[in-house]
Every structure is written in C-alpha cells, then in structure tokens.
Amino acid sequence: MDTHLTDDVVGPLPGDYKSDVKPIWCPGCGDYSVLAGITRAMATMGLERHDTVVVSGIGCSSRIPAYTSVYGYHTVHGRSLAVASGVKLARPELNVLIFGGDGDGFSIGGNHFLHACRRNVDMTYIVMDNQVYGMTKGQASPTTEADWCESKLTPEGPGVNPIQPVALALACGANFVARGFSNNPNEVARLIVEGVRHPGFSVIHILSPCVTFRPEQRNWKSTVHPYGREPTDDPNEAMRAVLEDDGFGLGIFLAGNRRPFQPESAATRSIAQIEEGFAV
Ligand code: SF4
Ligand code: MG
C-alpha cells in the first residue's frame, strides 16, 4: 500500500482504497458519498488491503467491490451475508464488510438478514436504503411507503407497510445498530469505524437517495435529524427508542454486549473434521 507523509503522520489515505474503476452511478446518486465515507473509514482504521474483504449482492449499491481496492466478492442477489459469513468463519482474522441495498438485503436476502443478526458473526453490514429497486428501473422495495404510486407495477402504491430495518435488526439480535445519511460522508465514515470496531454483527442503515427514481428523496437533507440520545447497550431500551423515532433519526442506537459467534468452536472444527475425512 502507498503511504503518505502528513507532517509526522504516516498512513494510508482514502484514495488508496479506491480502485481504478470509475463509478457508473447516476449523477447525484447518494451512493457516491457513501463510497467516500467507506474509503475514509478504511483509511481511518488503516486497514490492510490484503486483510480486508468487501462482499455485496446485486443492485446499484452492490457495485462497491468494483470501486474499492481491497479484496471484493460480488455475489448473487440477496446472498451477500451468507457468503460473508463463510469468509469470516473460514478466515476470522480478516476484516469483512458487506454492502448492498434495501431490495437485495431485505427482500431477496431477507431471510439471511434475520439469521445474520441472530448469529452475530463479527462483521459489518452497510445497507444503502433508497426505498426502491434502482438498478431494475424503479419498482417498490420492502422499505417503500405503502402509498408510493410512481411505479407502473404498483400504480396505486404497493399497499403494504414498509419494514423498519433498524427495528428489525434490533429484534433479531444485531449487536451494533446505527443509522446514517449519505450527505454526510464523515459521519458515515465514523459509523462504519464504530461498527467495524464493535464486536459481533453490526448493521449500519444508510439513507442514500435514488435521485433518478425517487427524486423527492433529495429533500431528505431537511428531513433527517440527530437521533439525540447516547447509544445504549440495552436492546430493549434501544427498541423502545427506535419505535418512537420517525425513521430519519441518525446516530448509534445500540452498542450491545452479545458475545460474537465463535468460529473456532464451529467452523474451524468442522473444517478439520472434513480434512480428516479426506485423509482417510
Ligand atoms: Fe443511484 Fe438510483 Fe441511479 Fe441506481 S438508479 S445509480 S440508486 S440514482
Ligand atoms: Mg434500493
């Protein structure tokens, strides 16, 4: 990795974590700023590129592995958490970060999300939520409002209430839960750093506007607000507070004390058993 001298400080810069691939997101897409936050977080932590893996599913935000210079695994739709769990259990010394959107994470990958929260493997999941399927041209997703009528597939609105990702993560046992907004990449970076450093499964819900299919989301900059409380380690207290929130509160809701899933007591042993079987 290139290092840079800033006075007497030596260390990586955010640009060291960007690949040579130019993002093809629409101009103004919130995901550009999230990418800036991701590379700032990686530089802040000084992550070794050869010890860091980003995993994604399918969708606009799932292009992150192509745009970063660490190891990347662009998996199939909705399966990023299953693949990432395998990576982390097989190589627990690696930093594993997962990226994706609301459709990939809560619809196609919804079942994996529940069990990743419950299992509590030590990795960090960053969901860029724009309340729409952007890559496939603007269909309602699991986080779309019931009365959003702009899609030709649901001209009278999807008619079902959206899921609440932060509440769902808490209910299923995620050990660190936070919400950020793409317009503030420094804060996105801070939340990612906190999530990576916190033991167990961390969920960081990032509101990231789709300016093409949900142009009204540009107004989120005047809708979001600080969550306004100190993080708690009590999931019940965090849940009570989240249920009072309007879905636009930003900050860390839970920094819990659950013991992460221990790979040495499960995956490593089973790999040893498999190898023993091969040797017979
Ligand atoms: Fe971003 Fe929406 Fe364009 Fe996808 S379709 S790149 S989410 S603005
Ligand atoms: Mg989406």
Side-chain angles (χ1 to χ4, degrees):
M1 175 181 298
D2 297 335
T3 57
H4 302 265
L5 289 173
T6 306
D7 295 326
D8 56 350
V9 178
V10 178
L13 293 176
D16 294 322
Y17 297 95
K18 287 185 180 157
S19 76
D20 294 333
V21 180
K22 191 174 179 333
I24 57 169
W25 292 312
C26 307
C29 176
D31 294 352
Y32 284 101
S33 297
V34 181
L35 177 61
I38 292 165
T39 55
R40 283 179 207 184
M42 290 176 169
T44 298
M45 292 183 281
L47 297 185
E48 295 288 355
R49 290 189 300 200
H50 60 270
D51 281 340
T52 305
V53 185
V54 298
V55 183
S56 73
I58 297 294
C60 296
S61 54
S62 286
R63 292 187 172 123
I64 295 293
Y67 302 152
T68 48
S69 62
V70 301
Y71 281 103
Y73 198 150
H74 194 173
T75 73
V76 291
H77 213 353
R79 307 298 178 239
S80 59
L81 289 172
V83 171
S85 298
V87 171
K88 184 66 180 179
L89 295 180
R91 294 284 306 277
E93 76 279 13
L94 298 180
N95 308 299
V96 178
L97 296 90
I98 308 102
F99 298 96
D102 41 294
D104 181 75
F106 304 131
S107 183
I108 300 91
N111 197 30
H112 291 296
F113 180 68
L114 307 184
H115 296 289
C117 294
R118 185 172 72 93
R119 191 166 292 115
N120 198 30
V121 174
D122 186 19
M123 52 191 192
T124 303
Y125 185 31
I126 295 97
V127 184
M128 284 157 260
D129 188 355
N130 51 21
Q131 304 176 349
V132 75
Y133 285 93
M135 182 175 273
T136 49
K137 305 287 181 274
Q139 300 84 10
S141 85
T143 54
T144 304
E145 308 91 310
D147 59 355
W148 182 70
C149 303
E150 299 303 315
S151 170
K152 290 176 182 167
L153 286 181
T154 51
E156 297 179 5
V160 289
N161 287 332
I163 66 162
Q164 303 299 327
V166 168
L168 187 61
L170 289 170
C172 296
N175 202 36
F176 178 97
V177 183
R179 184 185 291 120
F181 179 40
S182 61
N183 267 30
N184 189 342
N186 284 337
E187 179 65 3
V188 168
R190 184 184 79 87
L191 296 177
I192 293 174
V193 169
E194 296 280 341
V196 169
R197 289 180 173 163
H198 196 82
F201 187 60
S202 299
V203 176
I204 303 174
H205 179 227
I206 306 287
L207 297 167
S208 181
C210 174
V211 296
T212 297
F213 296 106
R214 303 293 312 262
E216 73 280 12
Q217 290 176 348
R218 292 179 188 273
N219 296 329
W220 277 354
K221 61 172 76 75
S222 57
T223 309
V224 298
H225 53 86
Y227 171 49
R229 299 191 198 190
E230 291 300 310
T232 177
D233 62 0
D234 179 353
N236 293 323
E237 188 182 326
M239 180 64 91
R240 280 193 292 274
V242 165
L243 292 177
E244 292 172 4
D245 182 64
D246 62 358
F248 290 93
L250 309 180
I252 299 170
F253 294 91
L254 176 74
N257 295 318
R258 283 189 66 206
R259 180 171 169 269
F261 185 83
Q262 296 297 312
E264 64 271 18
S265 65
T268 313
R269 187 178 61 200
S270 64
I271 289 170
Q273 289 170 338
I274 291 168
E275 289 173 346
E276 191 176 307
F278 284 150
V280 171

